[in-house]
Amino acid sequence: MRARLAVAVEAAADTETVRRRTSITEVATRRRAREFHTALAELIRRHDRALTQVRTAQEYDAITDSLRRGVLALTTGDMAALMQHSAAEPPTSRAARLARRTGSSLVLVAFAVVIPLLPGVDGATGGGVRVLLLMTAALALTPAGDSASGSIRSALERSLFTKGTP
């Protein structure tokens, strides 16, 4: 059930369909659609969190009943009933979302430029660190999971730092 809820969160958070079907001049429609999708995704996330904390069969039945009522409200178009218990996340600007998404990569790129220039860092080590930091910055921008990103980082570290050792 949690896997299906995760898929539902992804679908609810996706606003590409709204962007494709509305013209760029329909700013209010796009904003309302984003708010609705955000609220719906948050509502599903709350049910997902509640499922992880279930202790009794009655609690589980209450959560599944709430999900059932939500699906029925969605299919009948009763948005008031659907969003009855939802409080959407506060709206964030595009600049804030972009900064949150790219901030760590920008810091890594800055360190990749600065570290090889520091006194006491030889050329080979500085070059290896630069490549490692740049690749880590690129990985931070990709939506890969932590396990995939960790295995790629470890393989990169092994290839960079074992070249110089006999």
mmCIF file of all heavy atoms in Angstrom, residues 75-102:
data_model
loop_
_atom_site.group_PDB
_atom_site.id
_atom_site.type_symbol
_atom_site.label_atom_id
_atom_site.label_comp_id
_atom_site.label_asym_id
_atom_site.label_seq_id
_atom_site.Cartn_x
_atom_site.Cartn_y
_atom_site.Cartn_z
ATOM 1 N N THR A 75 -13.300 11.277 -7.455
ATOM 2 C CA THR A 75 -14.003 10.815 -8.649
ATOM 3 C C THR A 75 -15.316 11.551 -8.868
ATOM 4 O O THR A 75 -15.741 11.730 -10.005
ATOM 5 C CB THR A 75 -14.278 9.300 -8.597
ATOM 6 O OG1 THR A 75 -15.015 8.997 -7.419
ATOM 7 C CG2 THR A 75 -12.991 8.518 -8.633
ATOM 8 N N THR A 76 -15.961 11.993 -7.793
ATOM 9 C CA THR A 76 -17.213 12.734 -7.953
ATOM 10 C C THR A 76 -16.981 14.228 -8.128
ATOM 11 O O THR A 76 -17.928 14.967 -8.388
ATOM 12 C CB THR A 76 -18.143 12.508 -6.745
ATOM 13 O OG1 THR A 76 -17.480 12.954 -5.558
ATOM 14 C CG2 THR A 76 -18.534 11.043 -6.622
ATOM 15 N N GLY A 77 -15.736 14.659 -7.970
ATOM 16 C CA GLY A 77 -15.424 16.079 -8.161
ATOM 17 C C GLY A 77 -15.740 16.936 -6.951
ATOM 18 O O GLY A 77 -15.800 18.156 -7.050
ATOM 19 N N ASP A 78 -15.912 16.326 -5.788
ATOM 20 C CA ASP A 78 -16.215 17.064 -4.563
ATOM 21 C C ASP A 78 -14.904 17.508 -3.919
ATOM 22 O O ASP A 78 -14.385 16.863 -3.017
ATOM 23 C CB ASP A 78 -17.019 16.179 -3.620
ATOM 24 C CG ASP A 78 -17.524 16.929 -2.399
ATOM 25 O OD1 ASP A 78 -17.306 18.155 -2.316
ATOM 26 O OD2 ASP A 78 -18.138 16.275 -1.528
ATOM 27 N N MET A 79 -14.375 18.612 -4.391
ATOM 28 C CA MET A 79 -13.065 19.082 -3.924
ATOM 29 C C MET A 79 -13.107 19.546 -2.471
ATOM 30 O O MET A 79 -12.124 19.424 -1.753
ATOM 31 C CB MET A 79 -12.548 20.213 -4.809
ATOM 32 C CG MET A 79 -12.278 19.800 -6.226
ATOM 33 S SD MET A 79 -11.104 18.454 -6.279
ATOM 34 C CE MET A 79 -11.775 17.498 -7.614
ATOM 35 N N ALA A 80 -14.228 20.069 -2.031
ATOM 36 C CA ALA A 80 -14.330 20.512 -0.633
ATOM 37 C C ALA A 80 -14.169 19.329 0.315
ATOM 38 O O ALA A 80 -13.452 19.413 1.315
ATOM 39 C CB ALA A 80 -15.659 21.214 -0.400
ATOM 40 N N ALA A 81 -14.827 18.215 0.004
ATOM 41 C CA ALA A 81 -14.709 17.025 0.853
ATOM 42 C C ALA A 81 -13.314 16.420 0.750
ATOM 43 O O ALA A 81 -12.773 15.931 1.738
ATOM 44 C CB ALA A 81 -15.752 15.990 0.452
ATOM 45 N N LEU A 82 -12.747 16.480 -0.445
ATOM 46 C CA LEU A 82 -11.417 15.921 -0.636
ATOM 47 C C LEU A 82 -10.376 16.674 0.175
ATOM 48 O O LEU A 82 -9.532 16.089 0.837
ATOM 49 C CB LEU A 82 -11.043 15.951 -2.123
ATOM 50 C CG LEU A 82 -9.658 15.437 -2.479
ATOM 51 C CD1 LEU A 82 -9.540 13.953 -2.160
ATOM 52 C CD2 LEU A 82 -9.357 15.694 -3.937
ATOM 53 N N MET A 83 -10.436 17.986 0.143
ATOM 54 C CA MET A 83 -9.425 18.809 0.807
ATOM 55 C C MET A 83 -9.815 19.216 2.220
ATOM 56 O O MET A 83 -9.204 20.115 2.788
ATOM 57 C CB MET A 83 -9.161 20.064 -0.022
ATOM 58 C CG MET A 83 -8.574 19.764 -1.356
ATOM 59 S SD MET A 83 -6.983 18.943 -1.132
ATOM 60 C CE MET A 83 -6.633 18.487 -2.784
ATOM 61 N N GLN A 84 -10.778 18.548 2.785
ATOM 62 C CA GLN A 84 -11.282 18.891 4.119
ATOM 63 C C GLN A 84 -10.175 18.897 5.171
ATOM 64 O O GLN A 84 -10.115 19.775 6.015
ATOM 65 C CB GLN A 84 -12.372 17.899 4.512
ATOM 66 C CG GLN A 84 -12.986 18.149 5.859
ATOM 67 C CD GLN A 84 -14.077 17.122 6.139
ATOM 68 O OE1 GLN A 84 -14.355 16.265 5.328
ATOM 69 N NE2 GLN A 84 -14.670 17.232 7.299
ATOM 70 N N HIS A 85 -9.290 17.933 5.114
ATOM 71 C CA HIS A 85 -8.252 17.822 6.141
ATOM 72 C C HIS A 85 -6.874 18.191 5.621
ATOM 73 O O HIS A 85 -5.874 17.856 6.239
ATOM 74 C CB HIS A 85 -8.213 16.398 6.698
ATOM 75 C CG HIS A 85 -9.514 15.968 7.285
ATOM 76 N ND1 HIS A 85 -10.011 16.505 8.434
ATOM 77 C CD2 HIS A 85 -10.423 15.077 6.853
ATOM 78 C CE1 HIS A 85 -11.175 15.947 8.699
ATOM 79 N NE2 HIS A 85 -11.453 15.075 7.753
ATOM 80 N N SER A 86 -6.835 18.840 4.486
ATOM 81 C CA SER A 86 -5.540 19.154 3.888
ATOM 82 C C SER A 86 -5.152 20.590 4.150
ATOM 83 O O SER A 86 -5.956 21.497 4.035
ATOM 84 C CB SER A 86 -5.586 18.924 2.377
ATOM 85 O OG SER A 86 -4.370 19.307 1.806
ATOM 86 N N ALA A 87 -3.908 20.763 4.501
ATOM 87 C CA ALA A 87 -3.320 22.093 4.576
ATOM 88 C C ALA A 87 -2.078 22.037 3.703
ATOM 89 O O ALA A 87 -1.125 21.347 4.012
ATOM 90 C CB ALA A 87 -2.950 22.442 6.012
ATOM 91 N N ALA A 88 -2.131 22.715 2.594
ATOM 92 C CA ALA A 88 -1.026 22.657 1.646
ATOM 93 C C ALA A 88 0.220 23.279 2.252
ATOM 94 O O ALA A 88 0.149 24.117 3.150
ATOM 95 C CB ALA A 88 -1.399 23.392 0.366
ATOM 96 N N GLU A 89 1.344 22.868 1.721
ATOM 97 C CA GLU A 89 2.600 23.464 2.141
ATOM 98 C C GLU A 89 2.599 24.923 1.715
ATOM 99 O O GLU A 89 1.971 25.280 0.719
ATOM 100 C CB GLU A 89 3.758 22.734 1.472
ATOM 101 C CG GLU A 89 3.858 21.292 1.855
ATOM 102 C CD GLU A 89 4.895 20.560 1.026
ATOM 103 O OE1 GLU A 89 5.439 21.156 0.083
ATOM 104 O OE2 GLU A 89 5.136 19.402 1.325
ATOM 105 N N PRO A 90 3.263 25.769 2.455
ATOM 106 C CA PRO A 90 3.285 27.180 2.055
ATOM 107 C C PRO A 90 3.924 27.330 0.688
ATOM 108 O O PRO A 90 4.873 26.619 0.363
ATOM 109 C CB PRO A 90 4.113 27.861 3.147
ATOM 110 C CG PRO A 90 4.834 26.772 3.837
ATOM 111 C CD PRO A 90 4.048 25.516 3.646
ATOM 112 N N PRO A 91 3.396 28.224 -0.136
ATOM 113 C CA PRO A 91 3.957 28.375 -1.476
ATOM 114 C C PRO A 91 5.379 28.908 -1.424
ATOM 115 O O PRO A 91 5.708 29.753 -0.601
ATOM 116 C CB PRO A 91 3.016 29.384 -2.144
ATOM 117 C CG PRO A 91 2.361 30.108 -1.023
ATOM 118 C CD PRO A 91 2.309 29.165 0.135
ATOM 119 N N THR A 92 6.214 28.376 -2.286
ATOM 120 C CA THR A 92 7.601 28.835 -2.366
ATOM 121 C C THR A 92 7.852 29.364 -3.763
ATOM 122 O O THR A 92 7.256 28.896 -4.732
ATOM 123 C CB THR A 92 8.592 27.690 -2.079
ATOM 124 O OG1 THR A 92 8.352 26.625 -2.993
ATOM 125 C CG2 THR A 92 8.456 27.184 -0.662
ATOM 126 N N SER A 93 8.718 30.309 -3.849
ATOM 127 C CA SER A 93 9.003 30.898 -5.147
ATOM 128 C C SER A 93 9.868 29.956 -5.972
ATOM 129 O O SER A 93 10.520 29.051 -5.442
ATOM 130 C CB SER A 93 9.717 32.234 -4.974
ATOM 131 O OG SER A 93 11.021 32.017 -4.470
ATOM 132 N N ARG A 94 9.889 30.179 -7.270
ATOM 133 C CA ARG A 94 10.735 29.362 -8.142
ATOM 134 C C ARG A 94 12.206 29.520 -7.785
ATOM 135 O O ARG A 94 12.974 28.570 -7.824
ATOM 136 C CB ARG A 94 10.526 29.758 -9.599
ATOM 137 C CG ARG A 94 9.280 29.221 -10.181
ATOM 138 C CD ARG A 94 9.225 29.505 -11.649
ATOM 139 N NE ARG A 94 7.989 28.972 -12.188
ATOM 140 C CZ ARG A 94 7.577 29.186 -13.397
ATOM 141 N NH1 ARG A 94 8.286 29.924 -14.214
ATOM 142 N NH2 ARG A 94 6.456 28.660 -13.807
ATOM 143 N N ALA A 95 12.588 30.739 -7.432
ATOM 144 C CA ALA A 95 13.989 30.982 -7.077
ATOM 145 C C ALA A 95 14.370 30.184 -5.832
ATOM 146 O O ALA A 95 15.454 29.602 -5.767
ATOM 147 C CB ALA A 95 14.221 32.467 -6.843
ATOM 148 N N ALA A 96 13.478 30.130 -4.852
ATOM 149 C CA ALA A 96 13.762 29.369 -3.636
ATOM 150 C C ALA A 96 13.861 27.874 -3.939
ATOM 151 O O ALA A 96 14.743 27.179 -3.419
ATOM 152 C CB ALA A 96 12.694 29.624 -2.585
ATOM 153 N N ARG A 97 12.961 27.360 -4.785
ATOM 154 C CA ARG A 97 13.023 25.943 -5.158
ATOM 155 C C ARG A 97 14.303 25.636 -5.934
ATOM 156 O O ARG A 97 14.946 24.614 -5.707
ATOM 157 C CB ARG A 97 11.794 25.553 -5.984
ATOM 158 C CG ARG A 97 10.524 25.460 -5.167
ATOM 159 C CD ARG A 97 9.423 24.780 -5.942
ATOM 160 N NE ARG A 97 9.162 25.372 -7.243
ATOM 161 C CZ ARG A 97 8.211 26.249 -7.515
ATOM 162 N NH1 ARG A 97 7.415 26.657 -6.555
ATOM 163 N NH2 ARG A 97 8.039 26.718 -8.734
ATOM 164 N N LEU A 98 14.686 26.541 -6.835
ATOM 165 C CA LEU A 98 15.905 26.346 -7.610
ATOM 166 C C LEU A 98 17.135 26.385 -6.710
ATOM 167 O O LEU A 98 18.043 25.564 -6.839
ATOM 168 C CB LEU A 98 16.012 27.403 -8.707
ATOM 169 C CG LEU A 98 17.220 27.295 -9.625
ATOM 170 C CD1 LEU A 98 17.149 26.008 -10.446
ATOM 171 C CD2 LEU A 98 17.303 28.507 -10.531
ATOM 172 N N ALA A 99 17.157 27.330 -5.779
ATOM 173 C CA ALA A 99 18.289 27.431 -4.847
ATOM 174 C C ALA A 99 18.382 26.193 -3.967
ATOM 175 O O ALA A 99 19.479 25.681 -3.708
ATOM 176 C CB ALA A 99 18.149 28.676 -3.988
ATOM 177 N N ARG A 100 17.244 25.676 -3.519
ATOM 178 C CA ARG A 100 17.243 24.483 -2.682
ATOM 179 C C ARG A 100 17.747 23.279 -3.468
ATOM 180 O O ARG A 100 18.466 22.433 -2.956
ATOM 181 C CB ARG A 100 15.836 24.213 -2.157
ATOM 182 C CG ARG A 100 15.793 23.130 -1.117
ATOM 183 C CD ARG A 100 14.411 22.880 -0.524
ATOM 184 N NE ARG A 100 13.576 24.045 -0.434
ATOM 185 C CZ ARG A 100 12.352 24.153 -1.004
ATOM 186 N NH1 ARG A 100 11.866 23.158 -1.701
ATOM 187 N NH2 ARG A 100 11.635 25.230 -0.858
ATOM 188 N N ARG A 101 17.365 23.210 -4.741
ATOM 189 C CA ARG A 101 17.745 22.080 -5.570
ATOM 190 C C ARG A 101 19.214 22.122 -5.991
ATOM 191 O O ARG A 101 19.850 21.089 -6.129
ATOM 192 C CB ARG A 101 16.855 22.056 -6.814
ATOM 193 C CG ARG A 101 16.606 20.683 -7.337
ATOM 194 C CD ARG A 101 15.606 20.646 -8.465
ATOM 195 N NE ARG A 101 14.307 21.135 -8.071
ATOM 196 C CZ ARG A 101 13.567 21.972 -8.795
ATOM 197 N NH1 ARG A 101 13.993 22.408 -9.947
ATOM 198 N NH2 ARG A 101 12.394 22.369 -8.367
ATOM 199 N N THR A 102 19.745 23.312 -6.207
ATOM 200 C CA THR A 102 21.102 23.424 -6.749
ATOM 201 C C THR A 102 22.127 23.952 -5.755
ATOM 202 O O THR A 102 23.313 24.000 -6.081
ATOM 203 C CB THR A 102 21.103 24.351 -7.978
ATOM 204 O OG1 THR A 102 20.659 25.643 -7.581
ATOM 205 C CG2 THR A 102 20.243 23.805 -9.083
#
